[in-house]
Amino acid sequence: PSMPNPKILELIRNHHVYVLPSNAYEGWGAVINEAMGEGCAVIASEATGAGKTLIRHGENGLLFRPGDWKKLSELLCKLGKDESLRVHLAKSGHDTITKLWSPKVAAERFLAVSSALIAGQPPPYFNDGPLAPVLS
């Protein structure tokens, strides 16, 4: 059943790993942002917008192809056996959300792009994070 967002975040915060085995039906998958922000190691389908945009496989989370339950099982077992990897992914994921994908960074970049366009200048280019090109 549905529950209030604070309760959802509390549940996420009280667990070590979050899995989004999506076929991309929901599009972005904001729960990945939330799980990373709450300090969970994330395993996500590479079909979700958030998965392919936020997660760098092996650096700040783990990715698998939608429907590949064998790979998902392998990744879950890997995190279950390797606590240092789980902790590393959780910390790196948290840093990704709080330092690179924060509302402050997004707003600053939006203003920089808007100001450049208004001034008739080329907009700044960002390698990663909000307003960076998404490479498929």
Side-chain angles (χ1 to χ4, degrees):
S2 98
M3 63 177 68
N5 199 50
K7 178 68 174 165
I8 294 169
L9 295 176
E10 179 185 337
L11 286 170
I12 292 172
R13 194 170 29 255
N14 289 325
H15 292 82
H16 297 293
V17 177
Y18 184 84
V19 178
L20 183 61
S22 174
N23 65 359
Y25 178 76
E26 71 290 307
W28 179 258
V31 70
I32 291 175
N33 301 59
E34 294 168 337
M36 291 170 89
E38 293 299 329
C40 280
V42 174
I43 302 174
S45 160
E46 62 188 20
T48 63
K52 66 184 165 194
T53 303
L54 299 176
I55 295 176
R56 293 177 310 281
H57 183 77
E59 292 179 36
N60 65 353
L62 299 171
L63 296 168
F64 67 98
R65 291 181 194 265
D68 188 348
W69 60 268
K70 289 181 181 179
K71 184 64 173 183
L72 173 57
S73 175
E74 175 189 314
L75 295 174
L76 283 166
C77 288
K78 186 176 186 173
L79 287 187
K81 293 176 183 175
D82 189 344
E83 183 176 359
S84 65
L85 175 62
R86 180 188 57 76
V87 169
H88 168 76
L89 294 176
K91 181 181 180 337
S92 184
H94 184 264
D95 288 348
T96 296
I97 293 300
T98 60
K99 295 178 182 174
L100 181 61
W101 283 90
S102 71
K104 181 178 188 273
V105 169
E108 288 170 349
R109 289 183 176 191
F110 179 77
L111 288 173
V113 168
S114 299
S115 296
L117 293 173
I118 289 168
Q121 302 293 319
Y125 180 86
F126 304 103
N127 290 321
D128 199 5
L131 298 177
V134 177
L135 305 174
S136 298

